[in-house]
Structure formats: structure tokens, C-alpha cells
Amino acid sequence: MSASNSSEVQLFLLIGIPGLEHAHIWISIPICLMYLVAIMGNSTILFIIRTEPSLHEPMYYFLALLAISDLGLSFSSLPTMLRIFLFNSMGISPNACFAQEFFIHGFTVMESSMLLAMSLDRFLAIHNPLRYSSLLTSDRVAKMCLILAIRSILLVLPFPFTLRRLKYCQKNLLSHSYCLHQDTMKLACSDNKINVIYGFFVALCTMLDLALFFLSYMLILKTVLSIASLAERLRALNTCVSHICAVLIFYVPIITLAAMHRFAKHKSPLVVILVADIFLLFPPLMNPIVYCVKTRQIREKVLGKLFNPCKR
């Protein structure tokens, strides 16, 4: 996979797993299964929330948008991942690459925003349970979700335009199985200072979500510790377990990948690729499983649909 000798690169080259090209067809089997489980799991969550009136509450509205974000991440990366591992097709046009990174980053920011909104939901439910329903009305939840969705789009909207203005002269080999902003801009032979600065700004916004998440859980912990009954404390904390798991599943790979791109000088390409694939595959795969296992209402409705499909 040599770089183009022309004055400007016409095709970017994605990468599978270095050294295991001969096994790509076998690697594609678990990857396809993971995508299938992720798509079916998140679609099931959406269907259950849509069809069950008892789940028409703020917590489940946020969970539905989290499932939409996970589906968006899955469908954004699915085409290139399958092309590489099933057909060994590495090439992608610059415009297709810019479009893919827009959707991947957009749904990533949206997922981060939904996790933050869910932490606010848990804080209000534990801190002020009597006023919870009056504070988080359906109209307020809808407005909050709309604002967060618009924020996600506006934050990443400049990415494809700033990448398109750059010139790509010789280097055309990307370091993942899909396009990312920080990966693509490094191939440019023109000045990419604007991309670096704006990319850092978007990363800071995502880290701000994480900081606010920690703040909300410090307030939750303070509220829980003020509860006299140990059983009530455990019950309150148990409502947060699935959300904490979702945050860890999402943020640990993304922080690790960002740190590798910015600070690791002698990073292993294999490790970077594996972490990047985990970043995209694990949240959509694990979130439905975590919420079905740890959230009784979701679990009961899913099992009810599976074993009593005709029951209303």
C-alpha cells in the first residue's frame, strides 16, 4: 500500500490489523456478530421504550437517545470495517472519509451529551424525588435533548470543511479501519494549525461533559450519605450502576485513544487499532446488555416480549 506519487492524494488507505491480513476473513466473523448484536440490542431498547407507556419517563427518553447514538456509531463505521475485513478493500475517497468522520465524531459527542443528561436525571431523582416529575417534564426533556443534539452537530460541523481545505500530497495511509479527524489531519502537507486548535477545543468540550458527570456524582454521593437508612442508600446507588458502567465503557477507550494520538511517541500500531476498534464496537454492544441486566423495568419488558409476544 504505497502512497500516491501524484501532486495530491486521490485516495486514502484504511488499515485492518497489521500482520494479520491473512486472517481478516476470520476476524470479520466476530466483528459482524458484534455489529449484529449491537444493532439488534439498541433497536430492541428503542422498540421497548416506544411501545411501553410505563417507560415514557425522562430516564428512558435519555436511554432511547443513547441507543440512537449507539446505532449511529455502528452504522457510521460499519461500511469501512466490513469492506476491510470481508473484502480486503482499503481505499476510501477523501470526501467519503470526511463524511464518515463527521458522523462518527457527531454521534460520539451526542453519546457524551446523553450520558451527561442521564447523570443530571439521576441526581434529580435521588436529591429531590418528590419534585422529580415536576422538574423533568416531557417538554423540558424534549427541549434538553434537542439542544444537546444541535450542540453535537454544530461542534463537529466544521471538521469536514477544515479537512477539505487542506492539501494531501504524499502520505495517504490512515492508522484505523475508519476515518477520524485527528488521524486524517496528520496526513496533510499544508498548515493544519486550525484543525489542531479546533480539534483540541472539541476534545475539551467532551472532557467538560466528563467533569460535569463527576460533579453530579459527587453531589449524588453527598445526598446518598445523608440518608439515614443503609438499605435506602444502597437502593439509591443501585439505580446509578448501569449509568456508571455506560460512562466507563464509553470514556475509558476514548481517553486512551486520544492520549495515544497526542502523547505516545513510540506507540504500537496494533495497540492503537485495537483500542480504536474497542472505542467504536464496545459502547453500542455493551450498553443494551448493561441496561437489560441492571435495569429491572427494561429486563422485565424485554423478557415479556420474548416469552409472551401476544400479551399486551
Side-chain angles (χ1 to χ4, degrees), residues 107-117 206 209-210 250-251:
F107 284 114
T108 300
V109 175
M110 185 174 173
E111 181 145 350
S112 175
S113 302
M114 288 306 113
L115 291 171
L116 175 60
T206 308
D209 290 350
L210 185 59
F250 176 75
Y251 275 108

Side-chain angles (χ1 to χ4, degrees), residues 84-285:
I84 290 170
F85 290 102
L86 279 177
F87 307 109
N88 205 34
S89 176
M90 309 293 188
I92 184 172
S93 69
N95 286 337
C97 185
F98 303 154
Q100 185 184 49
E101 62 86 22
F102 167 75
F103 285 109
I104 288 176
H105 287 294
F107 284 114
T108 300
V109 175
M110 185 174 173
E111 181 145 350
S112 175
S113 302
M114 288 306 113
L115 291 171
L116 175 60
M118 292 169 83
S119 68
L120 173 64
D121 170 80
R122 290 299 84 210
F123 169 68
L124 291 176
I126 293 173
H127 180 70
N128 205 338
L130 296 179
R131 295 188 60 201
Y132 172 72
S133 298
S134 61
L135 289 172
L136 277 184
T137 62
S138 297
D139 287 342
R140 286 177 180 171
V141 169
K143 289 176 182 177
M144 187 187 305
C145 292
L146 181 61
I147 290 170
L148 291 175
I150 293 173
R151 167 190 179 251
S152 304
I153 295 171
L154 292 180
L155 266 179
V156 301
L157 188 60
F159 276 172
F161 299 103
T162 56
L163 286 174
R164 192 171 182 181
R165 73 175 184 84
L166 299 175
K167 291 188 179 297
Y168 305 90
C169 306
Q170 295 181 343
K171 295 187 293 184
N172 67 343
L173 182 60
L174 296 165
S175 55
H176 299 304
S177 304
Y178 50 86
C179 296
L180 291 177
H181 176 261
Q182 63 267 34
D183 194 22
T184 309
M185 71 179 182
K186 290 180 181 179
L187 300 181
C189 56
S190 57
D191 184 16
N192 64 356
K193 192 175 295 183
I194 293 175
N195 299 73
V196 173
I197 294 171
Y198 190 72
F200 185 67
F201 169 73
V202 174
L204 282 180
C205 291
T206 308
M207 291 302 103
L208 177 62
D209 290 350
L210 185 59
L212 293 174
F213 162 80
F214 278 118
L215 176 61
S216 66
Y217 267 89
M218 287 174 62
L219 296 173
I220 288 172
L221 190 60
K222 181 181 176 182
T223 303
V224 168
L225 291 176
S226 67
I227 300 173
S229 169
L230 177 61
E232 290 297 322
R233 288 183 191 177
L234 294 175
R235 188 179 302 169
L237 288 174
N238 191 52
T239 63
C240 303
V241 170
S242 53
H243 179 241
I244 293 173
C245 290
V247 169
L248 291 175
I249 290 167
F250 176 75
Y251 275 108
V252 170
I254 198 173
I255 291 173
T256 304
L257 184 62
M260 283 181 169
H261 271 290
R262 295 192 180 277
F263 305 115
K265 293 181 180 179
H266 305 290
K267 54 185 179 288
S268 166
L270 179 60
V271 174
V272 173
I273 289 167
L274 290 177
V275 172
D277 290 344
I278 288 171
F279 153 61
L280 272 193
L281 290 172
F282 261 48
L285 173 70

